[in-house]
Amino acid sequence: MEQLSSVLTSYPPASASSTSHKQQDELARVYLSAIAKLSASNKRLILEQPEAFLKLLDPAKNSIGYLFVLNTILNASEPRIGRPSLLDAIVVFLLSFDPIQVRYVGNYLLPLLEAVGTGKLFPPQVAVEILATAMLRLDSNASMFTSTHLLLATYAYETDCVEPALKVLERDITTYPIAAQKEQRFLCDPELPLTSFISVQTGLTAPVKATTVLEYDFIRGLIYMSRREWTKARKALERVIAYPTKDKGVSKIMIDAHKKWLLVGLLSDGEAPQFPGYTSAAAKSAYNIMASGYREVASTFSSPKAIDFVNEVISNRPIWLEDGNVSLIQEVQVAYQKWQILNLRRIYREVSIYKIQESTSSGETGEPLANPQQVISLVQSMIDSKALKGEITVGPDSESFLTFQGEQEWSSEKDFAGEIAQAHHNINLLSQEYKASNERLSGHRDYVRFMIRELKRADKDDSDAGGFDAQIEDEDLMNDIVHHG
Amino acid sequence: MGPSSDLLAFFSRMKSQGAIIVEDLPKFDVESYISNYQGRTRFDRLMLLGESSVPLCVDALKAAVVEAKNGRDVGRYRGAWEYIRVAAPNEPEAIRDNAWIESTETANKAETARLEVELKGYRNNLIKESIRMGNEDLGTHLEETGHLKEAAEAYGRMRHDVGTTKHIVDCAQHLVSVALQRRDWVSVISNASKVSGLQATDLERDLQPYLKAVSGIGQLGLGKYHEAAASFLQINSAGSLESLQGLITSNDIAIYGGLLALATMDRKDLQTKVLDNPTFRTFLEHEPHVRKAISQFINGRYSTCLSTLEVLQTDCLLDLYMQKHVATIFTRIRRKCIVQYFIPFSCVTIQSLDEAFGRGGNSIEDELASMIRDGALSARIDSKSKLLVAVSTDPRAKMQAKALNVARKYEHEAKERLRRINVIASGLEVTRGKRQTDEHWYEGERTSVLTG
């Protein structure tokens, strides 16, 4: 016991912070091999008094050791620890582990995260919260995609506990795990780029495939749809449909995302969305073939002829059923008239309720609303939900009017300056990321090979050109003849 | 006397076929109108009157039957007879002249065969000029008997054996004539432009009115009103107008050019290119109404301008080339008048607009709404105070909005591109080969994940 405790607590040494990265790395590796070599009897010792060992170690300082003990307990068939205390220990660990230390024990951490993310340990609300927090501890921007991302999104969506997951889901992912990567620096270097420590080798992510990424964004789209955040949903789905492809490949997830994207675009912008410029041509043509019905609905959505729209919706009902988009189509139908009313702001400054009733129709029945009261309540609900900026006033003949208000997003110069500064800041951050990517890719094997080939060719061209000049100088035919003659 | 029941039945059929029906009496009668034109266009015009004009229908169809029987085109006779049989079954022309049909058909077939044999003979002799003339004769014959597609092919073959500039012009004119009858506007324009490119000065001067007129008609047919207006306005009245005979009259040129200009040009261009244009003025003199309407528009008397034009509308609706475009052109002119009327104001009562432009007691509000929707008018309607208010843009706010928009868009795009770089760098693109396994995955997942 004594000996075991001294092994487990031997890292990190008290003086660790002052040592160099190299020494730290060595220490960590020595420690790792020491605990890996612990005999079965030692492990049994841990299992006999698990709580004592957990108490012995500080999860924030002795993260490696703590995780090792946790792992040993979790792998045991009958741990002698009450479930509440074990779960407490896991929560404490996941909320406070040292993000540098765990880089060495990804193969222990990932199974733990997976156990949390499949709901084996905690109720959903807790599981999602601590999983998201742990992910942010590992990568504070959550800008690198891992297999855990999909796990989190799927679990949050399935259990309908989305709120605590949003802090991860809303981050922009810009990097992805890279297979083989030569890294001179040490794992404990805090400056180390994400791609160098979050990888399959360190065990911090399981292997990621294209479908993993697509599914993640697709589920994000579904999550935002369930929250009725249409613009965010559209952007998430847009990532799926514009996903890079090669050899004219198109995934079925992309096709399905495109269908939803068309409808969500109608909900968020009131008109059919446009493909991003970088959508691949093969994907576009596949979408156009596969999305019959959806395109018709999208094109009739912005026309004032409600009956055309309703007919398209009704006649394509089998398609909605087959694709499981019935409820989304219903949302679109409800939104139809709202957008018709919103579009009136481009024509009117003040418009009578009677006029709204006359000139817009319901997307569900294709008929105008039956009486002005229904129009007023619809408009009022739009104003209340902040979809419409305006107010209902009563005119001279006690007729009600809707007054549209300006759409400016900011109210003062200061706000505007703030917005611009924010945008500037974001772009600056991005350019740093660009630099990092550029640096990383410059060292990529394929690129280096390509550069070498280019250089060789340039050399060859140069020598060719030089040779030709030289030849001209040499090519003194008369001399030649004289010489031979 | 109202129209007879036969006539009503005829027009309800025409309407169902998509013809434009004009019930008002035009300013001309059939006889005097058709005497202005020559050649095959006469029949087309008579048929159009028959189809569209309620008061002139019977007269026009009778004349059309006579016109068809004067020629050799059996198809035309049949068409005219079909119409008159329904519209006026009691007229003598409504009895089908089978003897004429048979004899003409036989004669036509024999003539076609003869010309083809002749042409074959010329081909065997390899004399270019004869082959060209043989093709021309065959083309003319086919055109006269109504085989327009074959005629165009025969005329097209003439081009292989052209010798002089004159030949090229002949060939192009034949092709233009057929294309006009076939309503093939693109071909009209392209054949006309082939001649314009010849750079034979005296020929060009003689042909200028013809070329400009046919290109104008072609552009009008394609709905390119601005270009068409420019073509008509350039017709040189000093040039030889003989080449226009049978095609369009000076009055037509004035109306086409004037209305199209009014629909597409701004006030300054109307003054300099139309009213002050010495060559076009000669044409305008034939149509004082058009001239008046243009000067009224320039002087800002929009409502009188529109009522002046109203008079012309009926006649235009019965014009062979103008008919289909009348509604669009007149709407454009009307919208332009409303826009011009509104320009100096920041705010106008709807009532005053109703006074100036109102039609038959209907308020102009709906029309304004559709103009704003189409982007023709930059204003907002205030239904409460019954005002039309100009959109006052705050340039500063606009600039700020634009700047923010650009920044956000840039950020978004940069981020997406960075993602793509890294997706590709990690080798995570979707490839063709993965598709199968992908679907397999998907079907499995769908039941578990997506139903939630």
Side-chain angles (χ1 to χ4, degrees):
Chain A
M1 173 84 194
E2 289 286 309
Q3 183 213 353
L4 181 58
S5 322
S6 68
V7 171
L8 285 176
T9 49
S10 65
Y11 180 84
S15 59
S17 55
S18 59
T19 49
S20 71
H21 292 327
K22 188 175 176 204
Q23 285 163 325
Q24 279 185 35
D25 189 62
E26 259 168 31
L27 283 171
R29 287 183 194 281
V30 166
Y31 179 68
L32 268 180
S33 66
I35 55 172
K37 276 187 227 151
L38 283 177
S39 62
S41 59
N42 275 329
K43 285 193 182 165
R44 245 193 329 272
L45 214 57
I46 295 178
L47 292 177
E48 270 164 23
Q49 305 170 304
E51 286 185 69
F53 282 100
L54 288 176
K55 274 204 189 102
L56 178 74
L57 299 161
D58 178 353
K61 278 190 190 144
N62 312 98
S63 296
I64 298 180
Y66 200 88
L67 184 56
F68 172 76
V69 174
L70 272 181
N71 195 53
T72 315
I73 298 170
L74 283 171
N75 282 336
S77 47
E78 282 175 16
R80 299 170 76 179
I81 179 170
R83 199 164 166 80
S85 6
L86 173 64
L87 295 186
D88 278 351
I90 294 176
V91 172
V92 170
F93 173 74
L94 286 179
L95 297 185
S96 62
F97 65 79
D98 175 11
I100 307 262
Q101 283 187 34
V102 295
R103 292 178 186 178
Y104 289 93
V105 279
N107 51 339
Y108 294 148
L109 183 63
L110 191 62
L112 182 62
L113 292 179
E114 277 169 358
V116 173
T118 43
K120 284 179 193 153
L121 303 171
F122 299 99
Q125 197 74 27
V126 182
V128 173
E129 172 68 46
I130 57 176
L131 187 59
T133 314
M135 287 170 75
L136 286 175
R137 283 191 68 75
L138 200 59
D139 165 11
S140 58
N141 289 322
S143 67
M144 168 118 186
F145 186 77
T146 63
S147 55
T148 325
H149 276 82
L150 177 60
L151 190 71
L152 174 74
T154 316
Y155 186 64
Y157 182 64
E158 274 175 352
T159 56
D160 201 16
C161 283
V162 172
E163 201 66 44
L166 287 179
K167 54 189 168 192
V168 172
L169 299 181
E170 288 193 339
R171 303 300 174 99
D172 282 306
I173 286 176
T174 44
T175 44
Y176 295 85
I178 297 181
Q181 168 95 0
K182 285 248 155 104
E183 180 57 63
Q184 303 297 328
R185 284 168 283 183
F186 297 102
L187 264 186
C188 55
D189 187 344
E191 302 290 309
L192 203 62
L194 291 168
T195 47
S196 299
F197 66 87
I198 300 185
S199 68
V200 180
Q201 282 95 0
T202 61
L204 285 176
T205 173
V208 169
K209 286 188 297 185
T211 46
T212 325
V213 184
L214 286 174
E215 201 192 345
Y216 173 67
D217 279 322
F218 189 83
I219 291 175
R220 276 181 61 230
L222 294 180
I223 286 174
Y224 288 128
M225 275 153 64
S226 68
R227 296 171 60 83
R228 291 162 187 265
E229 295 184 28
W230 307 120
T231 311
K232 284 182 180 171
R234 195 203 73 215
K235 283 186 178 163
L237 292 172
E238 212 156 86
R239 286 192 184 169
V240 181
I241 62 161
Y243 194 78
T245 64
K246 66 180 179 191
D247 307 332
K248 297 188 178 166
V250 182
S251 158
K252 191 159 183 302
I253 311 174
M254 293 165 72
I255 303 274
D256 221 67
H258 171 248
K259 294 174 179 171
K260 293 190 193 294
W261 172 75
L262 270 179
L263 299 182
V264 169
L266 295 178
L267 290 167
S268 75
D269 304 323
E271 56 188 11
Q274 300 285 324
F275 284 120
Y278 37 78
T279 317
S280 82
K284 266 192 219 168
S285 61
Y287 298 149
N288 284 336
I289 296 166
M290 305 294 288
S292 66
Y294 291 89
R295 260 177 301 129
E296 284 76 8
V297 165
S299 64
T300 48
F301 187 82
S302 40
S303 92
K305 281 191 193 153
I307 198 72
D308 291 354
F309 170 74
V310 173
N311 284 340
E312 286 296 341
V313 169
I314 292 172
S315 64
N316 290 310
R317 197 171 159 73
I319 301 181
W320 322 138
L321 279 171
E322 196 193 323
D323 294 341
N325 282 336
V326 174
S327 53
L328 190 55
I329 274 285
Q330 276 164 359
E331 288 286 343
V332 174
Q333 278 185 292
V334 172
Y336 176 83
Q337 187 164 21
K338 292 185 179 172
W339 274 102
Q340 296 291 324
I341 294 173
L342 268 179
N343 287 340
L344 289 178
R345 73 190 159 187
R346 281 189 235 144
I347 298 172
Y348 295 98
R349 207 164 68 169
E350 275 184 90
V351 60
S352 69
I353 293 296
Y354 168 73
K355 187 89 203 165
I356 297 179
Q357 187 193 355
E358 182 194 67
S359 60
T360 67
S361 305
S362 154
E364 287 152 291
T365 59
E367 302 286 331
L369 291 180
N371 55 54
Q373 264 63 46
Q374 290 183 355
V375 182
I376 291 179
S377 67
L378 176 67
V379 170
Q380 194 59 51
S381 74
M382 287 168 69
I383 296 173
D384 293 345
S385 66
K386 304 243 164 55
L388 174 68
K389 281 186 187 169
E391 58 176 334
I392 295 177
T393 51
V394 178
D397 313 330
S398 73
E399 200 186 350
S400 296
F401 288 87
L402 165 63
T403 311
F404 292 101
Q405 286 159 356
E407 296 157 40
Q408 206 168 6
E409 300 166 54
W410 60 96
S411 46
S412 68
E413 287 292 316
K414 207 176 150 196
D415 289 353
F416 171 72
E419 293 266 354
I420 279 287
Q422 181 61 39
H424 182 240
H425 176 70
N426 290 348
I427 291 171
N428 267 347
L429 282 182
L430 262 179
S431 70
Q432 280 170 21
E433 269 190 76
Y434 259 96
K435 268 186 203 146
S437 292
N438 186 35
E439 223 163 82
R440 191 157 43 76
L441 291 176
S442 308
H444 194 268
R445 199 179 49 202
D446 288 348
Y447 179 72
V448 172
R449 213 179 279 160
F450 166 79
M451 273 314 284
I452 292 173
R453 215 171 40 228
E454 284 294 297
L455 279 175
K456 268 187 192 157
R457 212 173 59 195
D459 281 351
K460 217 169 153 191
D461 285 352
D462 276 353
S463 64
D464 264 5
F468 184 66
D469 283 341
Q471 268 170 22
I472 287 182
E473 270 178 287
D474 278 353
E475 207 171 9
D476 196 343
L477 296 172
M478 293 307 283
N479 253 351
D480 221 27
I481 291 165
V482 172
H483 182 77
H484 283 290
Chain B
M1 180 192 80
S4 72
S5 60
D6 296 325
L7 215 52
L8 286 177
F10 174 72
F11 278 108
S12 70
R13 201 175 104 185
M14 284 297 123
K15 201 162 192 173
S16 68
Q17 287 173 11
I20 297 168
I21 312 292
V22 185
E23 296 196 5
D24 297 334
L25 190 68
K27 288 200 304 287
F28 53 77
D29 62 65
V30 177
E31 196 95 354
S32 65
Y33 169 73
I34 206 66
S35 64
N36 290 324
Y37 301 95
Q38 283 167 11
R40 287 178 61 85
T41 186
R42 281 166 64 95
F43 178 83
D44 287 337
R45 284 171 190 274
L46 286 170
M47 286 293 273
L48 185 89
L49 287 183
E51 274 171 27
S52 300
S53 173
V54 180
L56 299 183
C57 171
V58 179
D59 283 348
L61 287 179
K62 279 162 83 173
V65 169
V66 174
E67 180 72 25
K69 279 177 90 173
N70 283 339
R72 292 184 294 160
D73 189 337
V74 180
R76 286 188 152 185
Y77 174 69
R78 285 212 182 94
W81 173 76
E82 283 284 338
Y83 277 180
I84 201 165
R85 189 176 60 112
V86 182
N90 299 325
E91 297 288 335
E93 281 83 356
I95 300 158
R96 189 159 138 146
D97 189 347
N98 286 322
W100 181 85
I101 294 180
E102 253 171 54
S103 66
T104 318
E105 267 182 347
T106 329
N108 285 348
K109 267 186 196 153
E111 178 71 5
T112 314
R114 188 185 67 80
L115 288 167
E116 275 170 355
V117 169
E118 255 180 28
L119 180 62
K120 212 171 179 182
Y122 297 143
R123 283 224 184 94
N124 290 339
N125 292 338
L126 294 173
I127 303 169
K128 276 184 147 252
E129 179 59 10
S130 303
I131 301 175
R132 192 187 68 82
M133 283 169 66
N135 271 321
E136 184 168 17
D137 290 344
L138 182 62
T140 318
H141 171 70
L142 288 169
E143 187 184 344
E144 275 173 11
T145 53
H147 299 91
L148 297 177
K149 191 166 162 256
E150 292 82 355
E153 283 165 11
Y155 288 139
R157 283 197 296 270
M158 285 170 69
R159 198 174 287 145
H160 303 302
D161 303 298
V162 290
T164 64
T165 326
K166 175 85 174 65
H167 290 163
I168 300 177
V169 172
D170 279 352
C171 171
Q173 273 183 312
H174 281 309
L175 284 169
V176 165
S177 153
V178 176
L180 279 177
Q181 292 174 53
R182 295 178 70 193
R183 302 275 199 278
D184 182 355
W185 311 120
V186 178
S187 162
V188 170
I189 296 171
S190 74
N191 279 304
S193 66
K194 270 176 198 155
V195 180
S196 320
L198 280 180
Q199 297 185 331
T201 40
D202 48 341
L203 202 69
E204 207 179 320
R205 203 190 54 235
D206 284 349
L207 279 175
Q208 196 266 0
Y210 171 80
L211 292 175
K212 287 293 169 200
V214 292
S215 344
I217 293 172
Q219 283 149 347
L220 172 62
L222 289 176
K224 296 178 175 170
Y225 299 136
H226 194 77
E227 290 90 333
S231 295
F232 286 119
L233 292 180
Q234 283 168 17
I235 294 178
N236 190 350
S237 55
S240 145
L241 294 181
E242 266 170 43
S243 53
L244 291 179
Q245 263 181 8
L247 191 67
I248 54 173
T249 62
S250 304
N251 298 55
D252 292 339
I253 296 176
I255 293 177
Y256 291 1
L259 287 186
L260 288 171
L262 204 47
T264 58
M265 289 179 178
D266 61 19
R267 182 178 269 118
K268 191 169 145 250
D269 277 356
L270 279 173
Q271 183 70 47
T272 53
K273 291 188 181 160
V274 184
L275 290 188
D276 296 347
N277 179 342
T279 59
F280 194 71
R281 190 184 291 169
T282 338
F283 295 114
L284 271 186
E285 275 161 11
H286 294 282
E287 287 291 339
H289 281 301
V290 177
R291 197 193 149 79
K292 216 164 96 189
I294 295 176
S295 54
Q296 279 160 347
F297 179 86
I298 292 174
N299 294 327
R301 293 159 57 207
Y302 303 110
S303 49
T304 43
C305 165
L306 288 177
S307 52
T308 313
L309 289 175
E310 205 74 5
V311 183
L312 286 167
Q313 196 162 3
T314 313
D315 288 9
C316 287
L317 275 171
L318 293 173
D319 184 90
L320 185 59
Y321 300 118
M322 199 71 160
Q323 189 187 44
K324 290 210 172 85
H325 304 279
V326 168
T328 325
I329 294 172
F330 275 72
T331 314
R332 275 211 201 177
I333 298 177
R334 188 177 156 78
R335 285 185 163 194
K336 232 174 106 176
C337 287
I338 297 176
V339 172
Q340 290 289 331
Y341 180 93
F342 181 60
I343 281 179
F345 305 104
S346 64
C347 175
V348 172
T349 58
I350 304 251
Q351 196 190 353
S352 71
L353 282 166
D354 273 340
E355 277 162 20
F357 297 103
R359 277 195 287 211
N362 291 335
S363 177
I364 199 174
E365 199 174 317
D366 290 335
E367 196 179 350
L368 291 174
S370 78
M371 283 172 69
I372 300 172
R373 189 175 293 132
D374 298 345
L377 185 65
S378 167
R380 296 281 180 276
I381 298 171
D382 188 338
S383 321
K384 197 185 201 172
S385 345
K386 299 278 172 215
L387 293 174
L388 180 68
V389 187
V391 179
S392 59
T393 48
D394 175 2
R396 189 175 178 82
K398 213 171 157 186
M399 184 278 289
Q400 290 179 334
K402 204 174 163 191
L404 262 187
N405 208 5
V406 167
R408 283 182 191 147
K409 229 174 150 179
Y410 180 88
E411 187 189 332
H412 178 71
E413 184 126 322
K415 232 176 236 166
E416 286 304 307
R417 292 202 183 266
L418 186 65
R419 287 183 68 240
R420 298 173 69 77
I421 291 172
N422 285 316
V423 164
I424 294 169
S426 305
L428 287 175
E429 306 108 306
V430 170
T431 56
R432 204 178 176 73
K434 279 193 182 167
R435 201 168 169 178
Q436 291 306 315
T437 55
D438 186 29
E439 263 162 42
H440 173 71
W441 161 85
Y442 198 72
E443 292 309 317
E445 283 298 306
R446 174 124 94 178
T447 43
S448 63
V449 180
L450 306 185
T451 47

